[in-house]
Every structure is written in structure tokens, then in C-alpha cells.
Amino acid sequence: MNLKKEIINGRGYSIVKIPDLKKFEYLRETFLNKMGFKGKKNISFLRKKLALMKNHEINKAMVNLLSFNEASEIMIESCGKIVEQLCGKELLIQRRANTIFNLPGEEQRRQWPHYELMSGISPYTFVMWAPFHDLDNDGGVYYVPQEKSFETIKIEHNQGLVNGPTILNKMNSHKPVKLKFGEVIIFNPFILHGNVSFKSNLARIACSVRFQDKYKPIMQKNSDFLKLYTLN
């Protein structure tokens, strides 16, 4: 499979194995340390604890990640072969990778269907998203194939809407992708995606980062969001 062609011209996303799993494992261990769980290698311990937390406790826990500035670089390097195939070695990458918690239960927040361009990101951007554990329930993210995403976006654009009923009414009709630890999903900024409520006694923890060729336009995002980076 031609990965770049599949992501740009095909389905719009692809699931691949992380080439340097040891680096990604190091990212997970560093994350656990930042969260105050040094020495506890079983991430299930943290997932169970997060699932029982109140929203304000989650917010407090997230503050511990503000100093995790190296997360973007570690994740990019763990997938360096893939990134180079898509953009070369000279990059613009997100300054701080997103570490995302998704908590079980109907009352928990959901990520509304959206596409990355809505945030003003460049159309030349790629997004990598990977869980810190096996993801075998509906706690992950669903992705709407590119052709269907375009069709839906055009309908709402013609109506002068963004995230109107055409998108929102279909939110629960999509099934989140299941991934194994060590797999990453890469998608383009035109793909509609989001999550749904799920039942579990464990929270979902994942990491995502955005990157592009440094020679491509950056649109509305600037150096507050992006930084220059050269792959090793």
C-alpha cells in the first residue's frame, strides 16, 4: 500500500504499526512519571483511577502534563520512518502533543464530530493518534472516510452551517476504531472524526501530534502552535 496516496487521495486515514516501539514505550513511561505514577508500569492502574475521578480532578491531573514538552518529539521519532515518507525530514511539528483522556459513562463529555481544518490548521497537516494501551472497546475515535466526509461537509457548507444537524445527527452511527498498543492511526485534516460514550471501568488514554513539511504553508497556525524540527 502507498501510505501517502491512501491518506491524501484514498480513504483519508490509515492504521500502521509504530516503527520504533521502544521509543513509544518510553513516551508512555515518561507520561506515567509526569502523572505521578513513577514505577507503576501497568497503565491499567492509572486508567482505573482516572475512570473514578471527577472532572475537576481530571483537570488538576492534566496540569501535571504542561511540562511534558518533549512528548511531540518522542512521538514523531517513534514514527520517524512514517513521518519521513509523508513529509521528509524537515518538519513543522506541534509544540506540545495532546494527551487525551476519554472517560466511560453516558454523563461524560464527548468529542463532537469535527475535522482539523476547523481549528485553522494547514491542509498540508497530518495527524498521528495512538493509544497507550490496547483499545478493544468503543472508547476510541471513529473516522469517517474521506469521500463521505467531503460529502457531509459540502452539504453543510451549502447551508451555511458548521457542525449542523447533518453531522451531529449521525454522531452515534459511527463505530470507533479498535487498536492495539503499538499501532497508530494517521489521518488528514479533512476527515470527520469524534467519539461516543462507552461502558468500561477503565478510562482511555491516547496521545496525538500534528506535523507537516516545513516548506508548506501554515495558514492560521503559527509559532505559538508549531515549531521547527528535523528528524534524526
Side-chain angles (χ1 to χ4, degrees):
M1 178 185 69
N2 184 316
L3 180 64
K4 191 171 185 177
K5 185 176 180 181
E6 175 69 4
I7 295 174
I8 295 176
N9 301 315
R11 188 172 55 168
Y13 64 91
S14 186
I15 298 170
V16 295
K17 291 187 180 298
I18 294 173
D20 193 337
L21 187 55
K22 285 191 175 181
K23 272 198 176 73
F24 191 71
E25 288 172 340
Y26 171 73
L27 175 64
R28 181 173 67 175
E29 292 306 314
T30 307
F31 159 76
L32 285 170
N33 292 344
K34 294 285 185 182
M35 289 293 291
F37 290 88
K38 189 173 183 178
K40 296 183 177 67
K41 294 186 177 181
N42 187 353
I43 198 166
S44 294
F45 182 89
L46 176 57
R47 294 177 66 198
K48 190 173 293 185
K49 187 174 179 67
L50 287 170
L52 298 173
M53 284 184 178
K54 303 294 185 185
N55 284 335
H56 73 277
E57 294 174 312
I58 292 288
N59 293 338
K60 184 177 179 180
M62 291 293 288
V63 172
N64 293 326
L65 298 175
L66 292 178
S67 63
F68 198 5
N69 295 319
E70 66 272 32
S72 289
E73 297 179 10
I74 299 170
M75 187 162 182
I76 288 288
E77 288 293 345
S78 74
C79 297
K81 292 180 180 178
I82 298 168
V83 172
E84 184 175 0
Q85 184 180 343
L86 295 173
C87 294
K89 284 181 173 286
E90 296 184 77
L91 310 167
L92 285 163
I93 69 172
Q94 189 175 341
R95 283 190 173 275
R96 183 181 289 118
N98 296 331
T99 305
I100 316 110
F101 304 148
N102 190 16
L103 306 187
E106 287 289 339
E107 71 281 3
Q108 296 299 335
R109 65 181 183 179
R110 303 175 195 174
Q111 188 181 47
W112 299 108
H114 66 285
Y115 49 100
E116 298 293 315
L117 281 179
M118 293 170 70
S119 68
I121 208 161
S122 165
Y124 302 100
T125 301
F126 296 95
V127 185
M128 291 195 301
W129 189 100
F132 280 158
H133 48 80
D134 287 350
L135 198 52
D136 51 12
N137 58 24
D138 286 338
V141 178
Y142 61 78
Y143 301 87
V144 181
Q146 183 158 250
E147 186 176 352
K148 187 64 177 177
S149 287
F150 280 161
E151 179 185 315
T152 305
I153 292 167
K154 285 177 181 178
I155 290 172
E156 296 217 327
H157 177 75
N158 291 335
Q159 296 171 343
L161 299 173
V162 176
N163 268 21
T166 304
I167 289 178
L168 296 180
N169 289 343
K170 294 181 178 179
M171 183 175 66
N172 290 319
S173 64
H174 301 290
K175 278 288 185 182
V177 172
K178 293 176 171 58
L179 297 173
K180 294 290 185 183
F181 177 72
E183 292 182 322
V184 61
I185 188 160
I186 305 172
F187 57 100
N188 74 43
F190 301 95
I191 294 298
L192 282 165
H193 57 286
N195 62 32
V196 297
S197 61
F198 69 104
K199 294 180 180 180
S200 177
N201 63 346
L202 301 173
R204 180 262 281 160
I205 308 172
C207 188
S208 70
V209 67
R210 287 138 189 85
F211 62 96
Q212 69 171 75
D213 183 332
K214 82 170 188 179
Y215 297 104
K216 299 292 186 182
I218 59 175
M219 304 306 183
Q220 293 177 2
K221 295 295 186 183
N222 55 30
S223 58
D224 290 337
F225 184 80
L226 299 166
K227 65 180 180 181
L228 290 167
Y229 186 75
T230 302
L231 278 172
N232 292 324

